[in-house]
Amino acid sequence: MLKIGLTGGIGSGKTMVSDHFARLGVPVIDTDQISRELVAPGTPALTDIHRQLGSQFIQADGSLNRKLLREHVFTDDAARKTLESILHPAIQKEVQHRLSRIEKEPYAILVVPLLVENNLGAMVDRVLLVDVPESLQIRRVCQRDNSSEEQVKKILAAQAPRKARREIADDMIQNDGDLQALHRRVEELHRQYLALANHTD
Ligand code: ATP
């Protein structure tokens, strides 16, 4: 089955795009959602985080203090590697499991926000990038999250640069128009992916 990796920076429009693929009947597997489920209270991954990174990341109710962990791995490379060694194999396994249940579909969308940062291109057959000018990205995230421009700029600085994403993309969606234009572009890609899936069968 053809696997399309959907990626893009914060607020680029990945959710809008994957929602539209889903409306067209395409299975969508969201690795962000999987990674949240994997660290729910009582899961093996959360126990590993507790053991290997420390009890300070577990809150009184047994849930993960995501904010504290995110800040910690942001400044500590060894901790980030440990976290990745816990999460990545578990995410891959869950993705494989979900893919095995939809084997008969021509293609699937895998949402991998940090595909470039985590060098996960090998997980997919093609990379689809939602590309957007930074100024628009900042404006949309400020509006959506009620964040300040400064906060959003900090997040952007921590993510892969736009250029690095564009270099590894096989297909691109320029999300600088309205939602109607975005949907039309998704529909166009849907037709291309169906043709490609038929061709490679
Ligand atoms: P994150 O990386 O934070 O998960 P995302 O890439 O999934 O974000 P979305 O949530 O889909 O991005 O979009 C960011 C915001 O921009 C949302 O509020 C969305 O409604 C808005 N948006 C996205 N595309 C468009 C568009 N073409 N026109 C107007 N608003 C848009």
Side-chain angles (χ1 to χ4, degrees), residues 8-17 32 113 140-141 144-145 175-179 182:
I10 180 172
S12 53
K14 297 179 293 296
T15 308
M16 294 287 125
V17 168
D32 245 8
R140 284 182 181 156
V141 176
R144 185 193 61 182
D145 300 344
N175 189 16
D176 54 1
D178 59 16
L179 285 174
L182 183 69

